[in-house]
Amino acid sequence: MTIQELKIASYLMLVFSDDEKSYIKITSKDFNLNLKDDCKLLLKFLNEWGCRQFKIENHEEASKGLKKWYNNSFQILPKQSQCLIDQSDKKIKQYTQSFDALKETYASTDKRGFSKTVGPVGAAKTLFALRKNMFPPWDNPIIKKLDFSANGEGYINYLLRVKEELLNLREECKKQGVDIKQLPQILNRQHASLVKFIDEYFWLTITRKCNPQKIINLTKYSS
């Protein structure tokens, strides 16, 4: 992907996606899942981002599970300011077990009395809310298309793929005389993180089957 493709993907996300409003609400939030209000806000965000496994009537019980996971995993979570592009592969790989534990955490109970878990998509979105600079969300079409397993090992491989994309973009940015961490300002999305831009690109090109390069080509032909 190129900076030009990211610009188009970023613009299309603003035009066609309602996720932006929910995302902006949590961009400056430093969640502490020991706090009831923080759990409530997180679950509301996850519901708005399409996580139907978190049924509203089970939010209180789901909060207990998230709190337990948070206290078990807090010590290994990166700081809020830390970015994926700056992390070593070894450091990234240490999140495997934490992801799997979150994936298996209780989310709700269905009409038949069976428990539903957070799942791989819910786990990634939860981690994204907690550490927006480090953990990108993903969805089932992205998992399938990129041929990752829907577990901690697969998510770590996804993190490494996103990091690779960011490193390539950093080289392109250098050629244009800019720092990659200026991209939010360049794209007029100051609240957005670098990993979110990569997620948006994958969501548009894979989940929504949109091809930014075709738009770039059409612009060239029209001029």
Side-chain angles (χ1 to χ4, degrees):
M1 70 185 70
T2 64
I3 294 176
Q4 187 64 23
E5 288 174 327
L6 277 190
K7 287 181 179 180
I8 292 172
S10 177
Y11 173 74
L12 292 176
M13 282 294 296
L14 289 175
V15 173
F16 295 114
S17 174
D18 292 329
D19 289 346
E20 190 78 0
K21 295 177 182 178
S22 300
Y23 174 62
I24 290 175
K25 294 177 185 177
I26 67 156
T27 52
S28 60
K29 180 67 178 176
D30 187 357
F31 283 96
N32 178 354
L33 298 189
N34 287 304
L35 301 178
K36 184 177 180 180
D37 286 347
D38 280 17
C39 279
K40 183 179 180 180
L41 178 61
L42 174 62
L43 288 167
K44 184 175 185 295
F45 165 75
L46 291 171
N47 282 153
E48 291 174 347
W49 265 40
C51 293
R52 298 184 183 88
Q53 66 270 42
F54 295 103
K55 293 169 61 177
I56 294 176
E57 56 266 35
N58 295 133
H59 273 192
E60 185 172 349
E61 192 173 353
S63 293
K64 294 177 182 177
L66 290 172
K67 176 182 176 181
K68 181 178 180 181
W69 169 85
Y70 180 77
N71 287 323
N72 288 335
S73 300
F74 180 77
Q75 293 300 324
I76 69 166
L77 289 177
K79 295 179 180 179
Q80 279 285 358
S81 60
Q82 291 181 312
C83 298
L84 177 62
I85 192 174
D86 299 321
Q87 299 298 301
S88 67
D89 290 358
K90 181 179 179 181
K91 182 77 171 178
I92 292 169
K93 290 176 182 178
Q94 76 171 354
Y95 303 118
T96 305
Q97 292 183 350
S98 183
F99 182 92
D100 281 331
L102 179 56
K103 178 176 72 76
E104 297 303 323
T105 296
Y106 172 88
S108 65
T109 303
D110 65 21
K111 294 180 180 179
R112 299 172 296 172
F114 293 111
S115 294
K116 290 186 176 182
T117 61
V118 172
V121 175
K125 290 181 178 180
T126 299
L127 286 169
F128 171 66
L130 296 178
R131 297 292 187 269
K132 68 170 186 173
N133 294 302
M134 183 70 192
F135 299 113
W138 64 357
D139 62 16
N140 288 319
I142 291 172
I143 294 170
K144 182 178 180 181
K145 179 66 176 181
L146 299 182
D147 197 26
F148 293 128
S149 55
N151 56 20
E153 181 182 0
Y155 186 67
I156 294 307
N157 287 331
Y158 180 60
L159 291 180
L160 295 173
R161 170 65 184 275
V162 173
K163 177 186 173 183
E164 181 183 2
E165 296 287 354
L166 289 173
L167 290 173
N168 290 336
L169 282 170
R170 185 166 69 182
E171 290 305 309
E172 185 182 350
C173 285
K174 284 182 180 179
K175 292 177 182 178
Q176 298 188 24
V178 298
D179 189 314
I180 189 172
K181 292 180 182 178
Q182 294 177 304
L183 276 182
Q185 286 72 38
I186 293 173
L187 300 180
N188 198 26
R189 302 274 303 288
Q190 287 84 349
H191 59 277
S193 63
L194 295 179
V195 296
K196 188 173 192 298
F197 290 133
I198 305 301
D199 163 66
E200 291 175 355
Y201 179 85
F202 283 144
W203 185 81
L204 280 165
T205 57
I206 296 174
T207 307
R208 304 301 296 175
K209 302 185 186 305
C210 174
N211 188 342
Q213 187 58 50
K214 287 187 176 181
I215 297 175
I216 294 172
N217 291 338
L218 285 171
T219 303
K220 290 179 180 178
Y221 297 149
S222 64
S223 61

